[in-house]
Amino acid sequence: MSWIRIANANAIPLREGRNVDLGDREIAIFNLGDRYAAIDAACPHRSGPLCDGIVTSNGAPSLAGGGVTGHAVVCPLHGWRIDLETGHVLKPEVPVKVNVYEVLVRDGIIEVEFPDDLENEKAA
Amino acid sequence: MGVTGCPRNCAEVTVKDIGLVGQEGSWQIVVGGAAGKHVRKADLLITVNTTDEALEAAMLFFQYYRENGNYLERTYDFVERVGIEKIRKETVYAPAKQKKALLKRLQKAKALSKDAWLEREAPVNPTQFVQIQPIGTVIQ
C-alpha cells in the first residue's frame, strides 16, 4: 500500500469529479465538499466516464436531519447510479461494484491510497 | 423543432416537438410529434396569422412544457398525458396575463443560459477538460 500525491485540492471543483491517470488504471476523484471520494473511472456497465457524472445522494435518508449522509454518482451514459462510499451499483439492482480507493487531503494535496490487492481483482 | 415554409411540409415538422407550418397567410403550430422509436403525429396547437404570433405560440408551449413536464419526459408523452385541450387552454388560449407571465419566465431562464460549447476555448476552471496526472510517482 502506498499513498500517491495527486493534485491540489482546488483542482476539483465542488461536487465535480476528475479522471486521474494512475498508469495501469484510471480512477475518478470527486469533491464532495467536506471530503473527497475515489472510485474506478469506468462505469461497469459500458465504461461510461463516471468523473463526468452528476453527484447525488445515495438514497440514504438525509434531508430531514440536514446534511447528506451519503453520495452516489450517476453515469452520464445510461444513468447507472454508483455509491461513492461502497462502490456498489445502486441502480439498476445488479450485484456489481467498482473499486473504491481511500482518499484524503494532506497539506492541500489530494492523496489516494493505492492498494496492493483489490476485492474485484482477487476474484478475477 | 422544425419550420417549414409551405403546406407540403418538406421539413416534416409534424413529427417534431414543436413544428411551424407556413401556409398562405397563416402559420400552423403543431406540438408533441415524434419520429424515433416512437412515431407520433403532432397535435395542432393553434393557427395564427402572423410570424410574431407563431413564435409566441411556440414559446408559450415551450415554457408550459418546461414547467409541467416530468423529468426526462418527451413532448410526445407530455402532450398525451396532459391533453392538447388543456395545453391549448393554458397557453395560447390563456388569459393575456397568464401568457405574459409564461413568456416572462421563459425570458428570465433564457437570459441565464449560456453556450456550453464556448467553454472548450475558455474552460470554467483549469482542469475542466483535463485528465489529472498525479504529482507523485505511481509505484506499482
Side-chain angles (χ1 to χ4, degrees):
Chain A
M1 299 237 186
S2 58
W3 288 87
I4 303 159
R5 286 153 56 86
I6 304 295
N8 284 322
N10 62 13
I12 304 174
L14 182 61
R15 278 188 282 282
E16 285 191 26
R18 288 292 182 269
N19 183 303
V20 178
D21 178 13
L22 291 185
D24 73 337
R25 77 184 65 218
E26 292 178 8
I27 63 170
I29 302 184
F30 298 87
N31 177 353
L32 304 178
D34 56 344
R35 66 207 156 83
Y36 289 72
I39 59 172
D40 283 333
C43 179
H45 175 221
R46 299 291 292 270
S47 300
L50 294 177
C51 65
D52 294 333
I54 289 173
V55 175
T56 67
S57 159
N58 67 2
S62 60
L63 295 173
V68 177
T69 58
H71 294 84
V73 63
V74 178
C75 179
L77 290 198
H78 307 97
W80 277 35
R81 185 187 291 134
I82 290 150
D83 193 309
L84 288 174
E85 271 79 32
T86 64
H88 285 292
V89 175
L90 301 172
K91 188 192 151 193
E93 284 183 29
V94 289
V96 176
K97 62 175 289 194
V98 298
N99 292 311
V100 179
Y101 303 86
E102 289 293 320
V103 56
L104 58 76
V105 175
R106 200 172 357 224
D107 303 328
I109 305 284
I110 301 166
E111 296 188 21
V112 166
E113 189 173 35
F114 201 92
D116 296 325
D117 52 353
L118 289 159
E119 214 178 302
N120 272 7
E121 284 154 31
K122 261 190 283 183
Chain B
M1 250 200 100
V3 182
T4 200
C6 77
R8 273 187 289 270
N9 189 18
C10 299
E12 299 172 352
V13 305
T14 42
V15 288
K16 300 284 193 273
D17 293 289
I18 300 174
L20 280 74
V21 191
Q23 300 183 318
E24 222 168 312
S26 69
W27 287 98
Q28 273 187 347
I29 289 82
V30 294
V31 295
K37 198 162 68 178
H38 184 100
V39 180
R40 183 177 190 273
K41 183 186 171 211
D43 291 316
L44 177 65
L45 183 67
I46 192 171
T47 305
V48 295
N49 295 326
T50 68
T51 304
D52 284 345
E53 287 171 304
L55 290 173
E56 186 186 277
M59 287 191 282
L60 286 170
F61 171 77
F62 184 41
Q63 181 62 16
Y64 185 75
Y65 164 70
R66 293 184 70 223
E67 292 178 7
N68 296 284
N70 292 334
Y71 183 62
L72 293 179
E73 184 180 40
R74 293 289 307 261
T75 58
Y76 50 79
D77 289 328
F78 171 73
V79 169
E80 278 191 9
R81 176 172 63 83
V82 178
I84 189 67
E85 283 305 326
K86 184 172 181 210
I87 293 172
R88 282 189 190 134
K89 228 182 286 173
E90 302 203 349
T91 58
V92 288
Y93 295 116
K97 201 174 151 192
Q98 201 176 324
K99 289 205 271 187
K100 211 174 147 191
L102 274 171
L103 293 173
K104 201 173 164 191
R105 291 196 294 274
L106 176 62
Q107 275 149 14
K108 192 176 169 190
K110 281 282 287 173
L112 288 170
S113 72
K114 51 190 181 199
D115 184 355
W117 292 101
L118 297 176
E119 289 172 10
R120 192 73 228 179
E121 302 303 319
V124 175
N125 59 66
T127 58
Q128 190 177 8
F129 301 110
V130 174
Q131 184 187 44
I132 294 175
Q133 299 295 328
I135 307 171
T137 318
V138 181
I139 305 153
Q140 283 160 19

